[in-house]
Amino acid sequence: MDKMETQMGYKHIEVKPTSGFTGAEIGGVDLSTHLEDEVIAEIRKALLKWKVVFFRNQNIDHAAQVAFTARFGEVTYAHPHEDEPIEEHPQILPVDRSRYERKNGLRRSSYESRWHTDVTAAVNPPAGSILRAVNVPSVGGDTQWTNLVAAYEGLSAPLRELADKLKAEHRFNARLRIPSNSKLAQRIAANPIVSIHPVVRVHPETGERALFVNPGFTSHILDVSPQESELLLELFFKQITKPAYTTRFRWHNGDIAFWDNRATAHLAPQDLDHIEVERVLYRTTITGDIPVGVDGFRSEIVEGEIFNSELPTVLKNKAEKVAEPALA
């Protein structure tokens, strides 16, 4: 794949793939300025092709991040469980290990430390996510992404045919044993979010089929025995995390990653929990559509509600209760 091939169809940006299946760095763009529609269209084209794109040395602020995200769709509220939003920017989720430990009583570098696709517990998981690095360590802290379309296409034909027919439940705290008395477990229990998704999702823009399961949120496959579910998920999880389908990104302050959440899963850093370093990034997400399977099945809500720009009802009720004047 030579430079001429990767640049075909791009007049306003430079596109440099980072691996054979997944990821590309985009150059020739300053995200602190207003971008013409033609530039936005080319960024979208590169995103759909490579599933995750990277912008180096983009020192923008919260407002500029929200504005850039909005060029691709409605910007969601920060997160279904975010009860301390950033003042004036409720769309932004801080990915801050010290803040996470303070809020949840757990030591982690991210909300979800396993391979995952963002917020698939919701019936309409985000269409895309944008992550901006502000204070990252000089050593360690890389993030990895995998291409769920390539993973699906890498299955044998009989397995693709089987996967096309399956449905799976997605929920927060899936396949994980968080102590019930932890702040995080209590927050999840107070705002349960559970959905049923097709195991294979048809991408709404490209028509590609993606293996839409992930260890972070997929609890079990429906209509099969528990043992069959475990074995099938083990097979699918190994498939989506094969190194061939992945790319790895070394962060520097000012870098930005933008991924298609409909066609990727990603893995937070695995090498920082034993090191006393700060790591602060900020994430925005784009309101997604309801996934549709190969057979036309549309994802269904079990618990929770649509995830979009609105403050989740549970958090809204909590805020209203706090705001009520004390009784005399």
Side-chain angles (χ1 to χ4, degrees):
M1 188 182 303
D2 58 29
K3 182 177 181 181
M4 182 176 294
E5 181 181 353
T6 61
Q7 282 301 121
M8 287 180 63
Y10 301 106
K11 297 180 180 179
H12 305 283
I13 63 175
E14 300 169 2
V15 179
K16 181 181 178 182
T18 59
S19 76
F21 283 105
T22 311
E25 288 195 15
I26 292 182
V29 176
D30 181 355
L31 301 188
S32 68
T33 64
H34 175 76
L35 301 179
E36 298 298 327
D37 290 346
E38 294 81 3
V39 177
I40 294 296
E42 289 193 359
I43 293 172
R44 182 186 291 276
K45 178 180 178 179
L47 178 70
L48 293 175
K49 167 67 175 176
W50 294 105
K51 314 311 181 194
V52 56
V53 294
F54 308 107
F55 304 86
R56 293 288 190 183
N57 196 29
Q58 303 283 334
N59 294 296
I60 61 175
D61 59 13
H62 289 338
Q65 180 175 352
V66 172
F68 175 64
T69 308
R71 298 295 300 276
F72 298 89
E74 178 189 65
V75 187
T76 70
Y77 178 72
H79 188 276
H81 294 137
E82 179 52 61
D83 55 1
E84 294 180 14
I86 295 177
E87 188 174 354
E88 298 184 3
H89 297 289
Q91 309 96 330
I92 290 179
L93 176 70
V95 180
D96 180 340
R97 63 182 295 179
S98 59
R99 181 179 186 270
Y100 185 94
E101 187 170 0
R102 173 182 61 81
K103 281 177 59 64
N104 299 310
L106 299 170
R107 186 178 175 84
R108 274 194 202 169
S109 297
S110 181
Y111 265 81
E112 176 53 69
S113 59
R114 299 167 294 174
W115 280 99
H116 66 284
T117 300
D118 285 334
V119 199
T120 60
V123 72
N124 65 323
S129 299
I130 295 177
L131 190 61
R132 169 174 59 102
V134 172
N135 182 16
V136 293
S138 58
V139 176
D142 297 1
T143 304
Q144 298 176 64
W145 282 265
T146 189
N147 184 332
L148 301 181
V149 172
Y152 171 81
E153 293 174 348
L155 291 171
S156 64
L159 278 176
R160 291 198 302 270
E161 184 177 353
L162 172 62
D164 288 346
K165 303 172 184 177
L166 299 175
K167 305 176 184 66
E169 180 192 89
H170 293 233
R171 63 168 62 235
F172 280 95
N173 200 17
R175 312 172 66 80
L176 196 63
R177 297 291 182 266
I178 297 176
S180 60
N181 61 347
S182 70
K183 295 178 182 178
L184 178 59
Q186 292 170 5
R187 189 176 290 111
I188 292 172
N191 183 17
I193 303 171
V194 185
S195 296
I196 304 299
H197 293 305
V199 165
V200 177
R201 176 181 187 173
V202 179
H203 195 288
E205 293 188 65
T206 67
E208 296 172 312
R209 298 181 183 183
L211 190 54
F212 201 63
V213 293
N214 66 89
F217 287 100
T218 308
S219 62
H220 66 278
I221 293 176
L222 275 62
D223 303 321
V224 299
S225 71
Q227 182 182 27
E228 290 170 334
S229 174
E230 285 299 307
L231 291 172
L232 285 169
L233 285 178
E234 181 182 4
L235 186 155
F236 292 149
F237 292 161
K238 285 183 176 179
Q239 178 69 6
I240 69 172
T241 58
K242 282 185 177 179
Y245 306 133
T246 68
T247 193
R248 185 178 184 120
F249 189 61
R250 170 92 282 271
W251 293 97
H252 300 92
N253 292 347
D255 291 347
I256 290 174
F258 180 8
W259 61 95
D260 186 338
N261 200 56
R262 302 161 295 189
T264 59
H266 56 281
L267 181 66
Q270 303 293 295
D271 60 348
L272 292 181
D273 288 349
H274 68 296
I275 305 174
E276 291 298 331
V277 293
E278 287 295 312
R279 185 175 186 270
V280 180
L281 306 92
Y282 293 99
R283 193 191 78 185
T284 45
T285 53
I286 301 163
T287 299
D289 56 309
I290 295 175
V292 177
V294 176
D295 61 358
F297 170 77
R298 288 169 56 85
S299 297
E300 299 175 348
I301 294 175
V302 177
E303 293 185 89
E305 59 193 359
I306 291 284
F307 178 48
N308 54 25
S309 61
E310 298 295 320
L311 183 68
T313 301
V314 171
L315 300 180
K316 185 183 299 182
N317 293 340
K318 180 180 177 180
E320 290 174 351
K321 185 175 181 179
V322 171
E324 289 177 358
L327 296 176

